[in-house]
């Protein structure tokens, strides 16, 4: 009777997930990636400032969502594989190569893993690119959203995305999308991390909660 | 998906949710829909898609989910088609009776309370998410939402149904207080279009209605006349 009255807290037995909202957008000359910073285990937030934008190479980043352990491991493995590859070809790797490496792992172990990575970056051959690698597919897209919070902003990004935005507009678009998703999704929140990648390199920025844009709050 | 084990009610069950889908999709019956209602100064604008599905088959592609309850009170129905039709019929009767007793037009809040009473009392048996909207003399245009479970709250703008989750971001960012009737119509049509593009259980045509002191104006926007967005 007593163990039923006071059950063990859920989060001790829950897998740690990055609930998450992630987004990546191309603009003319590069890409902008964005993510929230909440990691949850059941109903408990175990990390409120996690940076889910993980570098795979100098000008290639990936955004993590799903199981925190799975996503981090995939990112680390691909980081290593890309380093080896770039030494072999004596040049910066292509974004497509990074995305293919991620896709290969996601597809081969799709039954065991539950992580969705969005790969985005800049290379000399094709400029800014965004690849979605959900469940082992590989799809190049003008922009991609992922994570549990992304459901709430499908309508917003469909309506507001325009081709050939400037760097500034893309950054605003990403921050607005993240803010709206964090406002509605219980598993997303904290601060917003934004990474802008162009031919000159990658620039990381962290936007605190009180600096995020405000929308009409019902 | 959810396992079939029985747990005592006060022990939390292990959440087996696939992280690609939000938890609530396993609890809400998606008989598919997107409904929306917006208040403006002088009335309300309500809108809905027109698809009724049984599984993957579209049973009715031109459904009218905007149901009159009284002269200037409508409800938008989402959830089980049978449940919502039955509830709407019952409330229409009760409200009509009440209005005769009062000898004047009933309040929107009264209609919403009647929906809430029924949805709460029979919450275990019903699956109904209803938005009640209309115009009355005392408070002008009002929107009340009665989601699954039977709570009731008044909101300036409310969305409901399986397609609504895709447009929360759009509605949050585009709603402004003090919009005119035309702006509300455009806002509702665009939001419903975006939801219909993303939700497999919503689609067809967009039905709109404007309720104000002057009465009710209804319109239909056909598939090829829907607003277009660059990526869809």
């Amino acid at each position: 009777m007593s163990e039923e009255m006071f059950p063990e807290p859920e989060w001790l037995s829950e897998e740690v997930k990055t609930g998450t909202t992630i987004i990546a957008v191309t603009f003319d000359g590069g890409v902008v990636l964005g993510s929230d910073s909440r990691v949850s285990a059941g109903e408990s937030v175990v990390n409120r400032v996690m940076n889910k934008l993980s570098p795979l190479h100098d000008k290639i980043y990936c955004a993590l969502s799903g199981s925190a352990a799975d996503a981090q491991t995939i990112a680390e493995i691909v980081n290593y594989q890309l380093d080896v590859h770039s030494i072999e070809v004596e040049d910066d790797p292509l974004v497509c190569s990074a995305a293919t490496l991620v896709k290969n792992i996601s597809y081969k172990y799709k039954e065991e893993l539950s992580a969705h990575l969005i790969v985005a970056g800049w290379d000399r051959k094709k400029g800014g690119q965004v690849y979605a690698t959900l469940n082992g597919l590989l799809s190049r897209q003008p922009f991609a959203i992922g994570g549990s919070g992304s459901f709430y902003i499908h309508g917003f990004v469909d309506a507001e995305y325009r081709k050939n935005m400037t760097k500034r507009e893309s950054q605003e678009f990403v921050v607005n999308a993240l803010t709206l998703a964090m406002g509605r999704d219980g598993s997303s929140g904290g601060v917003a991390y934004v990474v802008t990648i162009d031919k000159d390199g990658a620039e990381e920025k962290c936007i605190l909660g009180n600096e995020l844009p405000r929308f009409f709050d019902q | 998906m959810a396992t079939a084990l029985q747990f005592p009610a006060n022990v939390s069950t292990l959440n087996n949710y696939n992280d690609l889908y939000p938890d609530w999709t396993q609890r809400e019956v998606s008989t598919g829909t997107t409904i929306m209602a917006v208040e403006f100064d002088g009335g309300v604008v309500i809108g809905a898609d027109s698809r009724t599905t049984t599984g993957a088959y579209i049973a009715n592609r031109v459904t009218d989910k905007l149901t009159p309850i009284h002269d200037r009170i409508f409800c938008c129905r989402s959830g089980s088609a049978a449940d919502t039709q039955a509830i709407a019929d019952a409330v229409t009767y009760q409200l009509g009776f009440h209005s005769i007793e009062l000898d004047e037009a009933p309040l929107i809040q009264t209609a919403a309370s009647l929906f809430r009473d029924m949805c709460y009392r029979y919450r275990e048996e019903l699956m109904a998410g209803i938005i009640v909207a209309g115009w009355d003399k005392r408070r002008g245009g009002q929107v009340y939402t009665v989601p699954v479970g039977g709570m009731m709250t008044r909101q300036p703008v409310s969305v409901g149904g399986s397609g609504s989750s895709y447009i929360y971001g759009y509605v949050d960012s585009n709603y402004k207080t003090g919009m005119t009737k035309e702006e509300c119509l455009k806002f509702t049509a665009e939001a419903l279009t975006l939801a219909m593009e993303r939700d497999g259980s919503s689609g067809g045509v967009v039905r709109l209605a404007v309720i104000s002191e002057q009465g009710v104006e209804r319109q239909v926007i056909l598939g090829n006349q829907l607003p277009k967005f660059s990526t869809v």
Side-chain angles (χ1 to χ4, degrees), chain A residues 98-174:
Chain A
T100 306
L101 288 169
V102 172
K103 178 265 291 177
N104 286 343
I105 301 177
S106 304
Y107 180 70
K108 186 165 179 195
Y109 299 104
K110 71 187 292 199
E111 303 302 324
E112 292 99 326
L113 296 175
S114 67
H116 168 34
L117 274 66
I118 297 179
V119 179
W122 183 93
D123 65 42
R124 245 196 345 237
K125 202 163 154 202
K126 290 190 193 150
Q129 301 146 70
V130 167
Y131 292 86
T133 64
L134 179 62
N135 263 342
L137 71 73
L138 179 61
S139 164
R140 183 176 170 198
Q141 299 171 190
F143 70 90
I145 55 179
S148 56
S150 69
F151 288 88
Y152 302 102
I153 50 173
H154 272 293
F156 174 77
V157 299
D158 281 344
E160 301 293 323
Y161 175 76
R162 292 175 318 276
K163 283 205 282 255
N164 299 328
M165 290 195 281
T166 64
K167 179 159 90 165
R168 185 110 192 85
E169 287 171 341
S170 308
Q171 286 169 333
E172 275 175 24
F173 175 69
V174 163

Side-chain angles (χ1 to χ4, degrees), chain A:
Chain A
M1 183 63 166
S2 58
E3 56 271 311
E4 283 179 9
M5 295 256 290
F6 300 104
E8 179 187 79
E10 235 181 62
W11 51 262
L12 279 179
S13 46
E14 286 281 348
E15 191 191 343
V16 172
K17 292 193 185 290
T18 55
T20 287
T21 310
I22 52 176
I23 173 171
V25 181
T26 47
F27 64 90
D28 188 21
V31 294
V32 180
L33 291 103
S35 82
D36 74 308
S37 69
R38 180 172 292 184
V39 180
S40 48
E43 279 152 18
S44 171
V45 176
V46 297
N47 186 345
R48 60 188 169 101
V49 286
M50 168 156 179
N51 190 343
K52 301 175 191 177
L53 303 176
S54 186
L56 297 178
H57 207 259
D58 296 338
K59 298 198 185 72
I60 308 177
Y61 270 64
C62 71
L64 314 174
S65 76
S67 154
D70 290 349
Q72 278 186 339
T73 308
I74 297 176
E76 281 171 17
I77 294 175
V78 173
N79 186 345
Y80 164 75
Q81 290 174 338
L82 260 189
D83 276 346
V84 171
H85 170 71
S86 90
I87 289 171
E88 283 177 345
V89 301
E90 290 180 10
D91 197 1
D92 286 337
L94 299 176
V95 185
C96 185
S97 313
T100 306
L101 288 169
V102 172
K103 178 265 291 177
N104 286 343
I105 301 177
S106 304
Y107 180 70
K108 186 165 179 195
Y109 299 104
K110 71 187 292 199
E111 303 302 324
E112 292 99 326
L113 296 175
S114 67
H116 168 34
L117 274 66
I118 297 179
V119 179
W122 183 93
D123 65 42
R124 245 196 345 237
K125 202 163 154 202
K126 290 190 193 150
Q129 301 146 70
V130 167
Y131 292 86
T133 64
L134 179 62
N135 263 342
L137 71 73
L138 179 61
S139 164
R140 183 176 170 198
Q141 299 171 190
F143 70 90
I145 55 179
S148 56
S150 69
F151 288 88
Y152 302 102
I153 50 173
H154 272 293
F156 174 77
V157 299
D158 281 344
E160 301 293 323
Y161 175 76
R162 292 175 318 276
K163 283 205 282 255
N164 299 328
M165 290 195 281
T166 64
K167 179 159 90 165
R168 185 110 192 85
E169 287 171 341
S170 308
Q171 286 169 333
E172 275 175 24
F173 175 69
V174 163
V175 171
N176 286 341
L178 286 173
T179 307
L180 289 165
M182 297 195 310
R184 287 287 178 181
D185 180 30
S187 318
S188 302
V191 304
Y193 289 103
V194 179
V195 169
T196 311
I197 309 176
D198 57 17
K199 63 175 169 39
D200 300 319
E203 180 200 323
E204 294 192 13
K205 218 159 74 138
C206 172
I207 305 179
L208 300 180
N210 58 343
E211 294 163 1
L212 290 171
R214 275 178 220 281
F215 293 96
F216 169 73
D217 205 341
Q218 295 165 238

Side-chain angles (χ1 to χ4, degrees), chain B residues 1 25 29 31 36 52 69 73 75 93 112 116 154 163 166 187 195 216 228 231-232:
Chain B
M1 296 300 264
T25 55
V29 170
T31 46
M36 182 166 168
T52 307
I69 304 296
I73 310 180
C75 77
Y93 161 76
R116 184 266 316 274
R154 182 180 172 190
Y166 300 104
F187 174 55
V216 178
K228 302 212 189 313
T231 52
V232 302

Side-chain angles (χ1 to χ4, degrees), chain B residues 34 36 167 170-171 186-196:
Chain B
T34 314
M36 182 166 168
I167 50 173
Y170 181 79
V171 168
K186 180 160 176 286
F187 174 55
T188 308
E190 289 181 344
L192 288 172
T193 304
L194 289 165
M196 280 157 49

